[in-house]
Structure formats: structure tokens, C-alpha cells
Amino acid sequence: MQRRAILLATAALCCAASATPAAAQEKAPLKILVGFLAGGSADTLARLMADGLRNDFSSIVVENKPGAGGRIALTQLKKAKPDGQTVLILPNGPMVLFPHLYKKLDYDPIQDFTPISLLASFQFGVVAGPGSSAKSIQDLISAAKSKPGQNSYGTAGQGTWPHLLGLMMEQSTGIELNHVPFQGGSAANAALLGSHVQYKFDVVSETAELHRNGKVRILAVTGAKRDLQVPEVPTLKELGIPMEASSWFAMYGPANLPTEVRKKLEMAVVNAVKTPELQGKLRKLGYEAVGSSSSELAASQKADLTRWEKPIKTANFSLD
């Protein structure tokens, strides 16, 4: 009896030992790469997502790999093992604009990565400062047509979203504006408020309060629908201008991510984004929570790649 008890106890210990690694493997660690400095919008969103995903992984680390507009982090993701333990959160620029802005990239935005989920979206406003008397988009167009190239808009630099939106506006309305690049968004804002430039294309959340206080006027928004932060402001499409553009943040994994791994990541992300807590935090940042499927992200990426090809090529503009 004593020998039998010892054997049973030993067997039980063996079973427990063999079960422990399997249980530990149920929740793997996750590394979230961010191609920008800590404290920025991409980093803030990544840390919000890390908090929202904390129950799905054994540990989560947000690793900043800033430089080259996110391309350094993309290169690291491209080299990562397709095991679901390394992902990247980034804005859509490197995936839909850079292929048209650079003649040569060291990654293919479609072939080298696995879409997981579109996390959040945001749009831009066409903003008139105190140096402009425009009260509407039609006023802006009329002023620009009467004095071609003399109405200016400020941006944070060549090839930025606001710069490209200005190019698209010119092509969509047949006007000619004067692009004035500055060293960063704060300098462009100061130029707008100081009447050194008349207009600016800016993220709605960055100018909504100034608009409500009457310091600037958001004449229109660029997205497919009105922005909840300024619901009284129409979209460009509502005003008859064939122009639509928005930006988004998404999560990607390396290429060849196994289907079951991709589905597990997608489900965890969607569940996190759909929680009222995370949606509220995103809303405070001026983002609209999405939490899409991987196929919806892939479709959005391809649509935006197509959308930006013509305006950038027509302008004959590149960053090379």
C-alpha cells in the first residue's frame, strides 16, 4: 500500500509538471513596436492598447524604435518571427503614403506584413486663421482664384499629411495655394495665429478648441462624415468638393503569420477596442475607435494606396 501511494504521488507530480508548461503557453508575451518617440500619438495609443490587452498575454512590452518616419520599426517587424509575439502599431502614412513618396523602400507594405486590426481613425480640418476673412470653403476658393499662389497654408514640413492635403485640395478645386513648411506643427500653428499664413490643414482635435473660442475657423472636415468634436462643420463632400481623406492607426504583424495566431491577436484587439473604457480614452484624444477585422484593415490600406497615388504623382512630388 505504501509503495502504491508513492507511485500515485509520483505520477501526480509528473502530470502537474507536464501541465505547467502548457498552461504557461496559453498566454504568451507580446512586444508592441512603435516607430516614434515616447509621448507621441502612436506611443500613447500603443500604451493604451497594452493596458487593454493585459489580460490576454503573460506580459506586454512597448518598445520605441523611432526614426525615418516609422521605417526603422517596420524593418524590425519585417525581420521578426511570425509567432504572434511581435506586432507594430503605426499611423497609415508609412503604409499608404511612403510607397508614393519614396522611389525606393526597404519594405513592401502589402507583402511584408500581416494586417491585424484598424484601431482608430481621425480626420483633418481645413482651418482659416485670423489672417483670412474666409467664412466658408467657397470663400477660400474664391480668394485663391482671384490671387493664384498668394494665399498660403502652413505645415509641419514637406511630405506631411497637411502638405499632401493641400496638394489634393488644389487638384480637387483647381486653385493654387502657396505651401509654407515650418519646423514642426507648433511653429505652423504660431504662424497661423500670427497671420503669417492664412490657412492650415490640421487634425481636428488640435484645433477644435481654438475653433470653439473663435480664434480660428474650421471651414470643413476631410473625412467621410462629420466629426463629433465639431458637428456643425460640414465635410468637403457635402460642399460638393470631390475630396475625402482621413488617417488611422493600425496593428500589423510580420508576414506569414499563421491564421490561428492572427485570429487570436485580432480577437484580443477587437475586444479591447470595443470596451467603453478604451473607447472613452480614445474619444478624449480625438480618435474614433474602430477595432476592425484584419480583412477590413487590408481593404482600407489598399483603398488608401490607390487614393493617394494620383494626387502625389500629379504633383510630381517625392521625398527622395
Side-chain angles (χ1 to χ4, degrees):
M1 289 294 293
Q2 186 177 7
R3 182 173 180 274
R4 184 183 177 188
I6 293 173
L7 288 173
L8 288 172
T10 303
L13 287 171
C14 289
C15 289
S18 63
T20 301
Q25 288 175 9
E26 289 178 5
K27 290 186 177 182
L30 181 69
K31 179 193 293 183
I32 301 177
L33 298 174
V34 178
F36 302 89
L37 291 170
S41 54
D43 176 74
T44 299
L45 179 57
R47 294 179 191 280
L48 287 177
M49 287 305 307
D51 187 52
L53 294 168
R54 64 187 180 278
N55 293 326
D56 295 285
F57 299 90
S58 62
S59 63
I60 301 178
V61 176
V62 176
E63 188 172 301
N64 297 88
K65 292 290 182 181
R71 284 176 287 162
I72 291 176
L74 277 166
T75 300
Q76 182 166 337
L77 181 68
K78 180 181 174 180
K79 297 176 181 178
K81 292 181 180 180
D83 55 9
Q85 295 185 25
T86 303
V87 297
L88 170 68
I89 289 178
L90 79 169
N92 62 346
M95 305 303 268
V96 304
L97 297 181
F98 287 8
H100 306 307
L101 291 171
Y102 292 93
K103 295 175 183 176
K104 186 178 180 180
L105 289 174
D106 54 3
Y107 64 88
D108 184 302
I110 301 293
Q111 301 298 325
D112 290 339
F113 309 102
T114 299
I116 295 172
S117 180
L118 197 161
L119 307 175
S121 66
F122 60 95
Q123 57 178 312
F124 302 85
V126 185
V127 186
S132 168
S133 61
K135 299 294 192 297
S136 67
I137 284 293
Q138 193 53 53
D139 289 344
L140 184 158
I141 294 172
S142 298
K145 286 186 174 180
S146 66
K147 297 180 178 179
Q150 294 186 38
N151 286 265
S152 57
Y153 69 100
T155 74
Q158 297 275 1
T160 58
W161 268 106
H163 177 207
L164 299 178
L165 288 168
L167 294 179
M168 185 179 274
M169 172 68 82
E170 289 179 312
Q171 294 169 20
S172 299
T173 59
I175 62 176
E176 181 183 345
L177 298 171
N178 177 33
H179 174 226
V180 183
F182 291 90
Q183 294 295 319
S186 58
N189 281 332
L192 180 73
L193 293 172
S195 300
H196 302 295
V197 295
Q198 288 78 48
Y199 306 105
K200 190 174 187 289
F201 296 85
D202 204 355
V203 179
V204 173
S205 60
E206 295 293 326
T207 50
E209 191 63 30
L210 291 172
H211 169 79
R212 286 190 284 268
N213 292 338
K215 294 183 179 180
V216 301
R217 298 176 298 282
I218 302 178
L219 306 179
V221 293
T222 64
K225 59 183 180 180
R226 294 194 181 198
D227 195 295
L228 293 177
Q229 299 170 91
V230 286
E232 74 282 3
V233 178
T235 67
L236 287 169
K237 279 198 168 183
E238 284 183 72
L239 300 173
I241 297 173
M243 174 176 164
E244 179 186 320
S246 60
S247 189
W248 38 261
F249 287 96
M251 179 183 287
Y252 288 84
N256 303 315
L257 205 61
T259 301
E260 64 276 11
V261 174
R262 189 260 303 158
K263 285 184 176 180
K264 183 179 178 181
L265 282 165
E266 178 187 321
M267 183 178 296
V269 168
V270 171
N271 287 340
V273 173
K274 297 298 183 183
T275 61
E277 180 184 6
L278 189 50
Q279 288 190 349
K281 290 178 179 179
L282 292 173
R283 197 177 300 115
K284 286 182 180 179
L285 293 172
Y287 302 147
E288 181 177 351
V290 181
S292 77
S293 66
S294 57
S295 59
E296 288 170 330
L297 170 55
S300 293
Q301 180 183 346
K302 289 181 180 179
D304 278 357
L305 267 170
T306 301
R307 178 179 291 122
W308 283 102
E309 182 177 11
K310 182 179 178 180
I312 293 174
K313 284 188 175 180
T314 300
N316 194 29
F317 177 76
S318 74
L319 292 175
D320 285 326

